[in-house]
Amino acid sequence: MLKKIQSSIVPLVVAVLFVIAGAAAIKSAAGSKLKPAGPSKVPFTTDSKAAFAQAKKEGKIVMVDFNADWCGPCQQMKREFFTKQEVADALTGVVAVDLNVDNPGDASDIADRYPVEAYPTLLFLDSNGKEIGRLVGYGGVDDQLRRVKAIIARS
């Protein structure tokens, strides 16, 4: 009799625990929403065709910021990195494209052409679309800026 009760109670207890854990995860996610990014010092476009035309005309390279709304490091990079004047200064030779993978809009051709497996990813392209560098992840302003400058110097 005890085994019969245990065999019917155990699945019920497991189900209740999953419901509680799921509810806690949802509440935690809702309560920990990141602050929205401040105003970017880097001028971004979402129109990739216009970005390549501008890069060709001005002798610049194109930087595509692959990001997502649900990606914590992406939002952190928007808040901490692109709001710094020193970052904007380092990116003066770049035409920046914001590619939100949840809503790629006019940049969907880039999303289809260049495979990205993790977010955030900064993709650096010459004005003809040849990849010249790629940064995956975000490790803070100083590290990211050092890595960005190294790619720009090579281009």
Side-chain angles (χ1 to χ4, degrees):
M1 174 83 163
L2 183 59
K3 283 189 177 190
K4 192 173 187 179
I5 292 172
Q6 286 177 334
S7 66
S8 61
I9 290 178
V10 170
L12 179 62
V13 169
V14 170
V16 168
L17 289 175
F18 274 114
V19 169
I20 292 170
I26 290 169
K27 183 177 178 185
S28 173
S32 68
K33 291 201 184 221
L34 296 172
K35 293 184 229 170
S40 176
K41 301 269 187 205
V42 178
F44 278 94
T45 182
T46 57
D47 184 341
S48 60
K49 288 180 176 66
F52 280 102
Q54 179 183 348
K56 203 167 275 213
K57 179 181 174 186
E58 297 176 4
K60 294 182 175 184
I61 62 174
V62 175
M63 177 189 74
V64 183
D65 174 19
F66 285 84
N67 62 80
D69 293 336
W70 48 263
C71 169
C74 299
Q75 301 311 313
Q76 184 179 10
M77 189 164 71
K78 284 181 183 280
R79 255 190 345 270
E80 296 175 358
F81 188 67
F82 293 121
T83 58
K84 302 284 186 223
Q85 187 59 49
E86 64 187 315
V87 172
D89 293 344
L91 294 174
T92 57
V94 168
V95 178
V97 177
D98 180 18
L99 198 157
N100 182 315
V101 297
D102 298 319
N103 184 19
D106 294 329
S108 61
D109 59 320
I110 293 177
D112 294 338
R113 186 170 172 194
Y114 301 95
V116 169
E117 297 177 6
Y119 305 103
T121 292
L122 294 180
L123 182 65
F124 294 84
L125 308 164
D126 69 15
S127 61
N128 294 314
K130 180 182 175 208
E131 185 172 332
I132 55 177
R134 181 182 292 234
L135 299 177
V136 179
Y138 176 64
V141 174
D142 294 337
D143 179 59
Q144 195 80 352
L145 186 56
R146 178 186 54 75
R147 298 183 326 151
V148 164
K149 286 178 176 179
I151 288 174
I152 292 171
R154 289 195 314 251
S155 62

